Amino acid sequence: MYFQIELEKVLQLQGVEFDYKETGKHSIGFIAQEVQTVIPEAVEDFGGNSITVGETTIENPLRVNEKFIIPVLVKAIQELSTKVTNILTDVKTMLGDAGNGIQNIVSDIFTGREFHASEKICIGATCVNEQD
């Protein structure tokens, strides 16, 4: 069964930097309580009812299991790719309707081919050259 996740949910995730209290080791990750509001499946109990770090006791600690975030990120990238493809198609269509040959130039740029003009590029009555 495929799941639906909106790109906006992924945008709500905030990465953080932190140092472990016990070792001082620097790391990156997420705050479990924040992830729980966006992707609850990625958050699980950690250490039972409470854990003690240094002199601080944390009640009902949580942790993020990042392996559950990976499929959500893949889905968001797929959604974003579809949006970009649709935008590029719309831009090519709009430029192609101009009837001035700009569609071929833009198509070459968007598909990674280089475009070189020997003297100038004109769109309608507006022209530019290398000096412009």
Side-chain angles (χ1 to χ4, degrees), residues 88-107:
L88 291 177
T89 299
D90 290 348
V91 168
K92 287 179 185 180
T93 300
M94 288 187 294
L95 292 173
D97 290 345
N100 56 20
I102 193 70
Q103 178 187 21
N104 295 335
I105 296 169
V106 173
S107 179

Side-chain angles (χ1 to χ4, degrees), residues 5-81:
I5 188 81
E6 297 175 5
L7 181 60
E8 289 75 26
K9 287 186 178 183
V10 172
L11 295 175
Q12 292 177 43
L13 296 176
Q14 298 293 316
V16 294
E17 293 184 58
F18 60 93
D19 296 322
Y20 285 98
K21 287 184 177 183
E22 292 177 346
T23 64
K25 181 181 176 185
H26 188 75
S27 191
I28 58 173
F30 299 102
I31 297 173
Q33 289 79 359
E34 292 178 5
V35 173
Q36 192 173 36
T37 65
V38 180
I39 310 168
E41 300 85 359
V43 178
E44 53 194 32
D45 293 331
F46 179 68
N49 294 331
S50 67
I51 60 171
T52 302
V53 179
E55 296 179 14
T56 304
T57 300
I58 301 170
E59 299 296 328
N60 302 315
L62 302 172
R63 71 174 171 192
V64 176
N65 190 335
E66 287 86 357
K67 77 177 183 182
F68 292 106
I69 293 178
I70 294 169
V72 174
L73 296 176
V74 168
K75 180 69 173 168
I77 290 168
Q78 291 169 340
E79 288 180 21
L80 187 57
S81 177

